[in-house]
Amino acid sequence: MADEPYLAASSTLRHGPALVVLTGPPGCGRSTLLQRIAAAVPGPVHAGGGLAMLAGVPALALSRAVRARLPGDDVHLLAEAVRSRVRGGLLVLDDLQHCDPATIAALPHLARTCRVLVALRTPHRLPADLHDALRDAAGAWLPVPALTGDEALALARRTAARLDEPGLAAVVTRAGGNPLAIIALARQAAAGKTPATQDIDQIAYAIATALADLPRPARTALAALGLLGRPAPAGLLGPGAADLQAAGLVDTEPGGALYPVSAYVAETAAGLLDATARADMHQRLAQLTPPAEAARHLAAAGDNAGAYRQALIAADQAGTAERAGLLLFACGLDTPVDLRVRLAAADALLVAGRAGEAASVLAAAGARPTGAAAPLALEVAVLHGEALLQAGDPHGAVLAVQGVPDAAAAAVVAARDRVLLLSALATAPMSALDLADKVAARHPHPQPGVAAAIAAVRAAHRVPGWDTDLAAAADPAGDPLISRWSAWLLVEHLAADGRLAESAAAARQAADAAADALAYGWQTRFLAAADWALVLHGPTGDTDAVVRRTANLTDLALPEQARAYATAATALVEADTGLLAAARGRLKSAPRHPAADWVAREAAWLDGQPERGDSTEPGDGLLAGLHAITARWAAHDLGQRDSSPIPTGLPGPARRTLTAWAVGNGFPAAADSWEPVALREQIRCLLAAGLTDTDRDRAVAALLRAEELADNAGLTVLAGRARRGLRQHRVHRDVRGRRSQGGLTQREQDVLRLVAAGEPTRRIAGQLGISTETVDTHIRASMRKLGARTRTEAAALAFATRAETSDNSEDGR
């Protein structure tokens, strides 16, 4: 039983990327088991862990593991920075209960591509959302069990060999299978101490008894380690450090700092101090530690005013994410908090993407913008409204700014109007347009936030010039948050209107600006949206490069929207070129998103399984139209009649296509309207014309045109559908692929050589040191270049072509 977690964890981690979580109470042996598993799993180990007193420092545990400074204010960039260092190794984190939110939030992303092993003490105080995300991402969640009777007896005998059998049995009975309790109680019994009664915490009692035998300086030093919650130099611990080393209660890090062999023992030592002694020690530690740490020691000592001052000092020296955490800490202290500090805290939290906490900080201010409210209270009100708006509470946002008068400062009025306008867009879109006109009249030269809000409302209603207004609001020279938000609206609205090439261009421009600002999350989101638009628009001269980019993106740690778009783009190309199994496998891990849902539905239809095409995420605009069109095709293939109403707000080509399905004609005109929008949909309209037109000559002409377009674009499955349609009209085609006289890259040749040897994709990836997605990308590109229908045919054609070339060279010599 005791080895089950070891075997389960080792097996899970040997099979590839996974997150394994070991849980259990203090002293159960989590850390020891962590070390055993890490030693058993092949590859380099990157070990770190949380520190109790530094739990608020972003990415600290991960920085300790990879020995590098990491970006703690961007979870996805943090995960990618760790992934690039860990790669095929093992990431090990102990004391996850002491880790900061950024570290815990990064673990589910890392689990997709890395082997991750963590230990979590129970009970813990992790926020429910982080705990749930961790639980969902874990490949194995393993409670560390108590030792069996024989194992407990053996441990007790090793610890206190001189004890007789009745004494050993008593120790095992009282310890309850907890290794730390067995060791502590066995040592206590060996020293002739009186056993504790059954109603006392045996572990704590045994530890307390053992610590009582230490010299006072050693107890003080161990208590200091317990309060610090992290390793410390011997000089900080005082003269008792040497006694702790002699007793084997501490060990030394490579840098010379001392850390407790058992963190729980150190915490118990700290808990044995009375309230006055504990407060005095916190006060002393505050004088010896940096401001951020000192603030927490002072708060623990009951000196809230001193903690407040130290937190502000530390915040002035901190980066974005840590600054937000320190100001939040300062605002939560039981001491008067200046409104300016609350404003600064809310600003920092909003920049860090923690809108809910920003709203809470300002709600606690108690200032209301009523009567003769001070200007600072008005600023609190409008920022509170902005925070509530970003947190998804538009009604609360309106209530927060209701009392802000028109006579307030221009910047305050502008911020109020922005909140009111975007709240109206979220709750009453039709009234938002009238309000936008009034706001525009009130602000003839609007500030960036107001201009972006007006542009967003006009874009939602497609007022002429909306795209120009949003593009202006997206100027990267302006406020970064406003410009990126506006650029994202522009990209999505252009795509929804079927202006895919323009959407891709806007996304690439925004991605470049985000890259210059090191805004990784936004950069990858824009890159994925650009490649999705390009893939949906249709093959270009750079199709292979687009596919490589999207496949590579899916290997990275990404925001959910970026992952959805990148996965959808790669899977659509795979499905269209005949790699349907690869597309289905990829889509299984895709986040719920209209683009990914449509590609899954489309892949099922392409694979001849129209009955598996249900979807609950149709989206709007172009994607809503594509969902509806695929549903019409599915109904046609199943011999059913689809009388679903045509969705509103569709771009012209989608509306014409659905109208043609409804009335049974008009597909050639619909195909023409798709030509500048999406090539594959133009082909599908021609296929529909060939299958529904009662005139044979027109039907054959449409199918021949569909076949030609699909062949030229490498859309294998659609070309096959065109040929099936032609066979129904007794038109038979020679579809043997043309052999390429070269053009394969060296890596494509390497991949095809292994395909010819019968190697599966996973082994090819392992032998060449690339991902399985990259292998599929090379195979697909080779198939396209060689005109092959299968990977095996591509390998045969490639080496036949090389053989012919070699023969010709020899003849020439």
Side-chain angles (χ1 to χ4, degrees):
M1 284 292 293
D3 260 359
E4 283 187 7
Y6 169 78
L7 296 172
S10 302
S11 174
T12 301
L13 293 171
R14 283 197 184 98
H15 281 85
L19 170 63
V20 173
V21 182
L22 305 178
T23 68
C28 70
R30 295 182 322 279
S31 298
T32 302
L33 182 57
L34 206 66
Q35 294 167 6
R36 282 185 63 204
I37 296 168
V41 175
V45 175
H46 304 267
L51 300 174
M53 194 53 67
L54 298 176
V57 179
L60 175 65
L62 293 169
S63 294
R64 294 178 67 206
V66 300
R67 304 295 187 265
R69 290 179 62 86
L70 296 172
D73 54 347
D74 186 328
V75 169
H76 304 97
L77 180 56
L78 169 63
E80 183 54 28
V82 174
R83 184 194 73 87
S84 67
R85 290 169 169 84
V86 174
R87 296 186 180 274
L90 175 66
L91 175 65
V92 178
L93 297 181
D94 201 356
D95 289 323
L96 198 67
Q97 71 279 0
H98 294 322
C99 288
D100 62 286
T103 293
I104 299 170
L107 294 181
H109 299 286
L110 288 168
R112 294 192 181 102
T113 54
C114 297
R115 296 177 300 167
V116 185
L117 173 65
V118 303
L120 174 65
R121 184 198 298 174
T122 55
H124 57 75
R125 296 182 180 179
L126 298 185
D129 57 336
L130 290 179
H131 175 268
D132 292 345
L134 194 69
R135 192 79 191 242
D136 291 342
W141 189 280
L142 305 172
V144 178
L147 297 181
T148 64
D150 290 342
E151 291 168 336
L153 194 61
L155 177 58
R157 188 174 289 115
R158 290 197 303 271
T159 305
R162 291 181 297 176
L163 278 181
D164 56 18
E165 290 302 312
L168 291 173
V171 165
V172 169
T173 300
R174 292 202 303 275
N178 185 293
L180 183 60
I182 292 169
I183 293 170
L185 290 170
R187 287 176 177 171
Q188 173 196 349
K193 304 295 184 182
T194 304
T197 57
Q198 294 297 320
D199 59 347
I200 294 177
D201 179 348
Q202 300 297 331
I203 304 174
Y205 178 86
I207 292 172
T209 304
L211 294 180
D213 293 334
L214 289 173
R216 183 179 180 84
R219 294 201 304 271
T220 302
L222 191 58
L225 279 174
L227 293 179
L228 279 168
R230 65 168 176 84
L236 188 148
L237 299 177
D243 291 326
L244 291 180
Q245 288 178 294
L249 292 171
V250 297
D251 208 340
T252 307
E253 285 193 330
L258 301 180
Y259 66 92
V261 172
S262 168
Y264 181 65
V265 170
E267 291 167 11
T268 302
L272 294 175
L273 298 171
D274 60 45
T276 302
R278 192 179 304 113
D280 289 343
M281 183 168 286
H282 275 300
Q283 288 281 2
R284 186 166 71 85
L285 291 174
Q287 297 170 8
L288 301 172
T289 51
E293 205 172 340
R296 289 175 169 80
H297 282 299
L298 290 171
D303 184 3
N304 289 316
Y308 178 75
R309 289 192 298 271
Q310 288 295 320
L312 297 187
I313 293 171
D316 287 340
Q317 304 167 359
T320 302
E322 190 175 357
R323 171 181 165 81
L326 286 164
L327 291 173
L328 180 63
F329 171 78
C331 291
L333 293 169
D334 186 14
T335 190
V337 179
D338 193 305
L339 281 182
R340 288 168 295 187
V341 173
R342 292 192 181 277
L343 285 168
D347 265 328
L349 289 164
L350 285 175
V351 170
R354 299 161 65 177
E357 290 169 301
S360 298
V361 163
L362 295 173
R368 294 289 179 268
T370 55
L376 210 56
L378 297 178
E379 291 184 35
V380 169
V382 294
L383 192 58
H384 188 202
E386 179 71 25
L388 288 168
L389 183 65
Q390 292 191 29
D393 183 9
H395 295 289
V398 171
L399 292 174
V401 302
Q402 268 185 346
V404 177
D406 291 342
V412 171
V413 173
R416 177 203 67 184
D417 289 348
R418 168 184 163 79
V419 170
L420 292 173
L421 192 51
L422 292 178
S423 297
L425 181 61
T427 58
M430 298 311 297
S431 66
L433 192 57
D434 290 337
L435 182 58
D437 292 338
K438 295 175 183 177
V439 170
R442 186 181 296 130
H443 302 277
H445 303 290
Q447 295 183 9
V450 176
I454 294 171
V457 172
R458 290 177 174 170
H461 291 275
R462 299 302 193 271
V463 175
W466 67 268
D467 46 357
T468 304
D469 291 344
L470 264 186
D475 183 356
D479 178 271
L481 292 179
I482 292 173
S483 64
R484 290 167 197 154
W485 175 74
S486 300
W488 185 250
L489 284 182
L490 177 63
V491 167
E492 291 220 305
H493 283 326
L494 287 172
D497 283 0
R499 297 162 63 177
L500 295 172
E502 295 174 73
S503 176
R508 297 295 298 182
Q509 181 180 358
D512 290 342
D516 291 341
L518 301 180
Y520 171 84
W522 280 103
Q523 178 195 6
T524 53
R525 190 187 300 184
F526 284 121
L527 287 174
D531 287 338
W532 161 252
L534 290 173
V535 164
L536 188 55
H537 181 259
T540 65
D542 201 26
T543 298
D544 288 341
V546 172
V547 173
R548 279 195 297 273
R549 283 200 305 269
T550 54
N552 289 337
L553 265 181
T554 57
D555 282 340
L556 305 180
L558 301 174
E560 291 294 270
Q561 285 179 310
R563 181 168 298 282
Y565 277 130
T567 303
T570 311
L572 182 59
V573 175
E574 288 172 336
D576 278 340
T577 53
L579 298 175
L580 289 158
R584 285 196 300 271
R586 187 183 303 278
L587 289 164
K588 285 180 181 177
S589 62
R592 295 306 303 270
H593 187 278
D597 274 15
W598 172 68
V599 175
R601 192 177 208 183
E602 183 73 1
W605 173 74
L606 289 170
D607 202 21
Q609 303 179 72
E611 70 280 359
R612 298 179 59 184
D614 292 337
S615 173
T616 57
E617 295 280 346
D620 53 19
L622 178 61
L623 276 171
L626 293 175
H627 274 279
I629 291 168
T630 300
R632 299 297 194 278
W633 271 109
H636 173 271
D637 289 358
L638 292 170
Q640 301 170 352
R641 178 171 179 78
D642 189 338
S643 56
S644 303
I646 296 175
T648 58
L650 302 183
R655 189 172 57 253
R656 292 187 189 96
T657 302
L658 291 171
T659 301
W661 276 109
V663 301
N665 59 66
F667 286 110
D672 291 341
S673 69
W674 279 110
E675 184 173 2
V677 179
L679 175 63
R680 69 181 315 283
E681 294 309 310
Q682 179 187 6
I683 294 170
R684 287 216 291 177
C685 278
L686 290 170
L687 289 175
L691 295 176
T692 59
D693 200 318
T694 55
D695 184 285
R696 180 183 182 279
D697 291 341
R698 289 199 302 266
V700 169
L703 292 169
L704 288 173
R705 177 61 175 155
E707 180 195 33
E708 177 188 10
L709 291 173
D711 271 337
N712 291 340
L715 303 179
T716 307
V717 182
L718 292 179
R721 285 197 167 242
R723 282 187 271 276
R724 285 207 302 274
L726 288 168
R727 285 196 294 273
Q728 292 177 7
H729 292 288
R730 302 184 184 280
V731 177
H732 297 278
R733 313 284 291 154
D734 182 0
V735 297
R736 289 175 296 177
R738 295 176 289 114
R739 290 184 179 181
S740 168
Q741 296 304 315
L744 295 181
T745 66
Q746 183 60 50
R747 181 46 60 89
E748 288 165 354
Q749 294 176 38
D750 293 341
V751 169
L752 289 183
R753 186 179 298 108
L754 292 171
V755 169
E759 296 284 11
T761 298
R762 180 178 56 80
R763 288 180 58 83
I764 295 173
Q767 291 183 51
L768 298 181
I770 55 181
S771 69
T772 55
E773 289 80 4
T774 304
V775 171
D776 285 337
T777 298
H778 287 312
I779 292 174
R780 182 172 53 253
S782 304
M783 290 169 59
R784 187 180 300 113
K785 292 176 182 179
L786 296 169
R789 294 291 178 258
T790 67
R791 56 191 278 158
T792 305
E793 183 186 0
L797 289 173
F799 293 111
T801 300
R802 290 184 64 190
E804 290 171 4
T805 303
S806 176
D807 291 344
N808 291 338
S809 298
E810 291 176 3
D811 291 344
R813 285 197 300 272

